[in-house]
mmCIF file of all heavy atoms in Angstrom:
data_model
loop_
_atom_site.group_PDB
_atom_site.id
_atom_site.type_symbol
_atom_site.label_atom_id
_atom_site.label_comp_id
_atom_site.label_asym_id
_atom_site.label_seq_id
_atom_site.Cartn_x
_atom_site.Cartn_y
_atom_site.Cartn_z
ATOM 1 N N GLY A 6 -14.979 -0.585 -25.477
ATOM 2 C CA GLY A 6 -15.679 -1.854 -25.616
ATOM 3 C C GLY A 6 -14.879 -3.054 -25.164
ATOM 4 O O GLY A 6 -14.937 -4.118 -25.805
ATOM 5 N N HIS A 7 -14.154 -2.903 -24.050
ATOM 6 C CA HIS A 7 -13.356 -4.001 -23.518
ATOM 7 C C HIS A 7 -13.816 -4.364 -22.108
ATOM 8 O O HIS A 7 -14.367 -3.521 -21.390
ATOM 9 C CB HIS A 7 -11.866 -3.628 -23.459
ATOM 10 C CG HIS A 7 -11.269 -3.302 -24.767
ATOM 11 N ND1 HIS A 7 -10.264 -2.365 -24.925
ATOM 12 C CD2 HIS A 7 -11.514 -3.783 -26.013
ATOM 13 C CE1 HIS A 7 -9.932 -2.276 -26.206
ATOM 14 N NE2 HIS A 7 -10.669 -3.131 -26.880
ATOM 15 N N LEU A 8 -13.528 -5.589 -21.720
ATOM 16 C CA LEU A 8 -13.719 -6.037 -20.345
ATOM 17 C C LEU A 8 -12.397 -6.613 -19.858
ATOM 18 O O LEU A 8 -11.821 -7.505 -20.494
ATOM 19 C CB LEU A 8 -14.807 -7.112 -20.258
ATOM 20 C CG LEU A 8 -16.245 -6.658 -20.533
ATOM 21 C CD1 LEU A 8 -17.163 -7.877 -20.648
ATOM 22 C CD2 LEU A 8 -16.747 -5.722 -19.435
ATOM 23 N N LEU A 9 -11.922 -6.090 -18.733
ATOM 24 C CA LEU A 9 -10.696 -6.598 -18.121
ATOM 25 C C LEU A 9 -11.090 -7.420 -16.890
ATOM 26 O O LEU A 9 -11.651 -6.893 -15.936
ATOM 27 C CB LEU A 9 -9.779 -5.446 -17.704
ATOM 28 C CG LEU A 9 -8.507 -5.842 -16.950
ATOM 29 C CD1 LEU A 9 -7.616 -6.745 -17.793
ATOM 30 C CD2 LEU A 9 -7.739 -4.599 -16.494
ATOM 31 N N GLN A 10 -10.819 -8.715 -16.953
ATOM 32 C CA GLN A 10 -11.136 -9.616 -15.847
ATOM 33 C C GLN A 10 -9.842 -10.043 -15.166
ATOM 34 O O GLN A 10 -8.904 -10.497 -15.830
ATOM 35 C CB GLN A 10 -11.887 -10.844 -16.355
ATOM 36 C CG GLN A 10 -13.258 -10.528 -16.939
ATOM 37 C CD GLN A 10 -13.883 -11.735 -17.611
ATOM 38 O OE1 GLN A 10 -13.725 -11.907 -18.813
ATOM 39 N NE2 GLN A 10 -14.590 -12.567 -16.857
ATOM 40 N N LEU A 11 -9.809 -9.906 -13.851
ATOM 41 C CA LEU A 11 -8.622 -10.239 -13.077
ATOM 42 C C LEU A 11 -9.014 -11.184 -11.949
ATOM 43 O O LEU A 11 -10.073 -11.022 -11.326
ATOM 44 C CB LEU A 11 -7.991 -8.981 -12.471
ATOM 45 C CG LEU A 11 -7.786 -7.782 -13.409
ATOM 46 C CD1 LEU A 11 -8.823 -6.709 -13.113
ATOM 47 C CD2 LEU A 11 -6.394 -7.202 -13.277
ATOM 48 N N THR A 12 -8.172 -12.158 -11.683
ATOM 49 C CA THR A 12 -8.398 -13.044 -10.548
ATOM 50 C C THR A 12 -7.152 -13.053 -9.680
ATOM 51 O O THR A 12 -6.028 -12.895 -10.173
ATOM 52 C CB THR A 12 -8.768 -14.474 -11.001
ATOM 53 O OG1 THR A 12 -9.198 -15.223 -9.862
ATOM 54 C CG2 THR A 12 -7.622 -15.173 -11.695
ATOM 55 N N GLY A 13 -7.371 -13.193 -8.369
ATOM 56 C CA GLY A 13 -6.251 -13.161 -7.447
ATOM 57 C C GLY A 13 -6.734 -13.255 -6.017
ATOM 58 O O GLY A 13 -7.724 -13.929 -5.731
ATOM 59 N N ARG A 14 -6.043 -12.553 -5.130
ATOM 60 C CA ARG A 14 -6.380 -12.596 -3.706
ATOM 61 C C ARG A 14 -6.486 -11.189 -3.139
ATOM 62 O O ARG A 14 -5.729 -10.289 -3.525
ATOM 63 C CB ARG A 14 -5.352 -13.425 -2.928
ATOM 64 C CG ARG A 14 -5.400 -14.913 -3.304
ATOM 65 C CD ARG A 14 -4.470 -15.752 -2.471
ATOM 66 N NE ARG A 14 -4.596 -17.177 -2.803
ATOM 67 C CZ ARG A 14 -5.408 -18.022 -2.172
ATOM 68 N NH1 ARG A 14 -6.159 -17.580 -1.160
ATOM 69 N NH2 ARG A 14 -5.461 -19.288 -2.522
ATOM 70 N N ALA A 15 -7.426 -11.020 -2.210
ATOM 71 C CA ALA A 15 -7.715 -9.707 -1.639
ATOM 72 C C ALA A 15 -7.386 -9.681 -0.149
ATOM 73 O O ALA A 15 -7.607 -10.674 0.565
ATOM 74 C CB ALA A 15 -9.180 -9.351 -1.846
ATOM 75 N N THR A 16 -6.889 -8.545 0.294
ATOM 76 C CA THR A 16 -6.591 -8.317 1.707
ATOM 77 C C THR A 16 -7.195 -6.991 2.119
ATOM 78 O O THR A 16 -7.008 -5.975 1.437
ATOM 79 C CB THR A 16 -5.068 -8.271 1.956
ATOM 80 O OG1 THR A 16 -4.474 -9.476 1.469
ATOM 81 C CG2 THR A 16 -4.770 -8.104 3.435
ATOM 82 N N VAL A 17 -7.925 -6.971 3.243
ATOM 83 C CA VAL A 17 -8.525 -5.741 3.753
ATOM 84 C C VAL A 17 -7.548 -5.073 4.710
ATOM 85 O O VAL A 17 -6.970 -5.726 5.588
ATOM 86 C CB VAL A 17 -9.856 -6.023 4.469
ATOM 87 C CG1 VAL A 17 -10.476 -4.728 4.983
ATOM 88 C CG2 VAL A 17 -10.822 -6.740 3.527
ATOM 89 N N LEU A 18 -7.350 -3.769 4.523
ATOM 90 C CA LEU A 18 -6.452 -2.979 5.358
ATOM 91 C C LEU A 18 -7.288 -2.050 6.232
ATOM 92 O O LEU A 18 -8.014 -1.188 5.720
ATOM 93 C CB LEU A 18 -5.490 -2.166 4.490
ATOM 94 C CG LEU A 18 -4.714 -2.961 3.429
ATOM 95 C CD1 LEU A 18 -3.882 -2.033 2.563
ATOM 96 C CD2 LEU A 18 -3.818 -4.002 4.096
ATOM 97 N N TRP A 19 -7.204 -2.215 7.537
ATOM 98 C CA TRP A 19 -8.040 -1.450 8.472
ATOM 99 C C TRP A 19 -7.237 -0.313 9.100
ATOM 100 O O TRP A 19 -6.028 -0.412 9.307
ATOM 101 C CB TRP A 19 -8.540 -2.360 9.596
ATOM 102 C CG TRP A 19 -9.442 -3.448 9.125
ATOM 103 C CD1 TRP A 19 -9.080 -4.701 8.713
ATOM 104 C CD2 TRP A 19 -10.859 -3.377 9.001
ATOM 105 N NE1 TRP A 19 -10.189 -5.413 8.339
ATOM 106 C CE2 TRP A 19 -11.292 -4.638 8.515
ATOM 107 C CE3 TRP A 19 -11.801 -2.388 9.254
ATOM 108 C CZ2 TRP A 19 -12.633 -4.921 8.282
ATOM 109 C CZ3 TRP A 19 -13.141 -2.669 9.027
ATOM 110 C CH2 TRP A 19 -13.553 -3.913 8.551
ATOM 111 N N ASN A 20 -7.939 0.771 9.441
ATOM 112 C CA ASN A 20 -7.373 1.875 10.221
ATOM 113 C C ASN A 20 -6.070 2.398 9.622
ATOM 114 O O ASN A 20 -5.074 2.605 10.317
ATOM 115 C CB ASN A 20 -7.136 1.427 11.675
ATOM 116 C CG ASN A 20 -8.411 0.936 12.332
ATOM 117 O OD1 ASN A 20 -9.464 1.558 12.185
ATOM 118 N ND2 ASN A 20 -8.321 -0.160 13.047
ATOM 119 N N GLN A 21 -6.103 2.607 8.313
ATOM 120 C CA GLN A 21 -4.925 3.099 7.608
ATOM 121 C C GLN A 21 -4.828 4.618 7.701
ATOM 122 O O GLN A 21 -5.832 5.333 7.746
ATOM 123 C CB GLN A 21 -4.981 2.696 6.136
ATOM 124 C CG GLN A 21 -4.984 1.192 5.909
ATOM 125 C CD GLN A 21 -3.682 0.549 6.321
ATOM 126 O OE1 GLN A 21 -2.635 0.830 5.760
ATOM 127 N NE2 GLN A 21 -3.734 -0.323 7.326
ATOM 128 N N ASP A 22 -3.606 5.108 7.740
ATOM 129 C CA ASP A 22 -3.381 6.551 7.665
ATOM 130 C C ASP A 22 -3.881 7.034 6.309
ATOM 131 O O ASP A 22 -3.500 6.486 5.268
ATOM 132 C CB ASP A 22 -1.892 6.853 7.829
ATOM 133 C CG ASP A 22 -1.607 8.342 7.812
ATOM 134 O OD1 ASP A 22 -2.422 9.106 8.368
ATOM 135 O OD2 ASP A 22 -0.567 8.734 7.242
ATOM 136 N N ASP A 23 -4.745 8.046 6.307
ATOM 137 C CA ASP A 23 -5.417 8.481 5.074
ATOM 138 C C ASP A 23 -5.411 10.004 4.977
ATOM 139 O O ASP A 23 -6.456 10.651 5.018
ATOM 140 C CB ASP A 23 -6.849 7.930 5.069
ATOM 141 C CG ASP A 23 -7.574 8.135 3.741
ATOM 142 O OD1 ASP A 23 -6.909 8.471 2.753
ATOM 143 O OD2 ASP A 23 -8.804 7.975 3.726
ATOM 144 N N PRO A 24 -4.227 10.620 4.845
ATOM 145 C CA PRO A 24 -4.157 12.084 4.838
ATOM 146 C C PRO A 24 -4.897 12.735 3.692
ATOM 147 O O PRO A 24 -5.364 13.865 3.800
ATOM 148 C CB PRO A 24 -2.646 12.360 4.758
ATOM 149 C CG PRO A 24 -2.059 11.117 4.170
ATOM 150 C CD PRO A 24 -2.904 9.996 4.682
ATOM 151 N N ALA A 25 -5.049 12.023 2.559
ATOM 152 C CA ALA A 25 -5.771 12.589 1.411
ATOM 153 C C ALA A 25 -7.273 12.343 1.505
ATOM 154 O O ALA A 25 -8.020 12.722 0.603
ATOM 155 C CB ALA A 25 -5.231 11.990 0.112
ATOM 156 N N ASN A 26 -7.719 11.703 2.592
ATOM 157 C CA ASN A 26 -9.140 11.408 2.807
ATOM 158 C C ASN A 26 -9.729 10.611 1.643
ATOM 159 O O ASN A 26 -10.855 10.844 1.208
ATOM 160 C CB ASN A 26 -9.942 12.694 3.032
ATOM 161 C CG ASN A 26 -11.318 12.424 3.618
ATOM 162 O OD1 ASN A 26 -11.499 11.478 4.380
ATOM 163 N ND2 ASN A 26 -12.276 13.253 3.263
ATOM 164 N N GLU A 27 -8.960 9.650 1.148
ATOM 165 C CA GLU A 27 -9.423 8.830 0.019
ATOM 166 C C GLU A 27 -10.622 7.970 0.381
ATOM 167 O O GLU A 27 -11.414 7.603 -0.482
ATOM 168 C CB GLU A 27 -8.284 7.935 -0.475
ATOM 169 C CG GLU A 27 -7.166 8.672 -1.164
ATOM 170 C CD GLU A 27 -6.123 7.698 -1.672
ATOM 171 O OE1 GLU A 27 -6.317 7.162 -2.774
ATOM 172 O OE2 GLU A 27 -5.133 7.473 -0.966
ATOM 173 N N THR A 28 -10.772 7.623 1.655
ATOM 174 C CA THR A 28 -11.840 6.708 2.058
ATOM 175 C C THR A 28 -13.035 7.423 2.676
ATOM 176 O O THR A 28 -13.961 6.763 3.155
ATOM 177 C CB THR A 28 -11.316 5.678 3.075
ATOM 178 O OG1 THR A 28 -10.930 6.356 4.275
ATOM 179 C CG2 THR A 28 -10.141 4.916 2.507
ATOM 180 N N GLY A 29 -13.026 8.759 2.699
ATOM 181 C CA GLY A 29 -14.140 9.471 3.330
ATOM 182 C C GLY A 29 -14.200 9.257 4.822
ATOM 183 O O GLY A 29 -15.264 9.371 5.430
ATOM 184 N N GLY A 30 -13.067 8.940 5.426
ATOM 185 C CA GLY A 30 -13.007 8.818 6.876
ATOM 186 C C GLY A 30 -13.007 7.411 7.415
ATOM 187 O O GLY A 30 -12.827 7.214 8.620
ATOM 188 N N THR A 31 -13.175 6.388 6.565
ATOM 189 C CA THR A 31 -13.222 5.025 7.104
ATOM 190 C C THR A 31 -11.835 4.480 7.432
ATOM 191 O O THR A 31 -11.702 3.605 8.289
ATOM 192 C CB THR A 31 -13.890 4.054 6.114
ATOM 193 O OG1 THR A 31 -13.025 3.857 4.982
ATOM 194 C CG2 THR A 31 -15.247 4.568 5.660
ATOM 195 N N GLY A 32 -10.825 4.946 6.706
ATOM 196 C CA GLY A 32 -9.491 4.389 6.895
ATOM 197 C C GLY A 32 -9.353 2.974 6.381
ATOM 198 O O GLY A 32 -8.382 2.283 6.686
ATOM 199 N N ARG A 33 -10.327 2.545 5.574
ATOM 200 C CA ARG A 33 -10.306 1.177 5.049
ATOM 201 C C ARG A 33 -9.911 1.175 3.579
ATOM 202 O O ARG A 33 -10.420 1.956 2.775
ATOM 203 C CB ARG A 33 -11.679 0.505 5.178
ATOM 204 C CG ARG A 33 -12.152 0.243 6.579
ATOM 205 C CD ARG A 33 -13.393 -0.648 6.564
ATOM 206 N NE ARG A 33 -14.505 -0.044 5.844
ATOM 207 C CZ ARG A 33 -15.507 0.618 6.412
ATOM 208 N NH1 ARG A 33 -15.530 0.784 7.717
ATOM 209 N NH2 ARG A 33 -16.495 1.104 5.684
ATOM 210 N N PHE A 34 -9.034 0.253 3.228
ATOM 211 C CA PHE A 34 -8.670 -0.032 1.851
ATOM 212 C C PHE A 34 -8.688 -1.546 1.682
ATOM 213 O O PHE A 34 -8.687 -2.294 2.650
ATOM 214 C CB PHE A 34 -7.265 0.466 1.516
ATOM 215 C CG PHE A 34 -7.084 1.951 1.571
ATOM 216 C CD1 PHE A 34 -6.822 2.596 2.777
ATOM 217 C CD2 PHE A 34 -7.145 2.714 0.413
ATOM 218 C CE1 PHE A 34 -6.645 3.963 2.829
ATOM 219 C CE2 PHE A 34 -6.957 4.086 0.455
ATOM 220 C CZ PHE A 34 -6.712 4.715 1.665
#
């Protein structure tokens, strides 16, 4: 029954090496 709210800054990472296939093939994080 908790809500964790975070504020900050976001950066998109394109065409990343993804050997564990975490992105389903997009290479985006």
Side-chain angles (χ1 to χ4, degrees):
H7 299 147
L8 291 170
L9 175 61
Q10 295 172 267
L11 312 105
T12 190
R14 293 184 177 267
T16 304
V17 181
L18 308 175
W19 296 90
N20 302 316
Q21 298 293 297
D22 182 38
D23 189 13
N26 195 32
E27 290 183 84
T28 65
T31 70
R33 294 190 299 263
F34 295 84

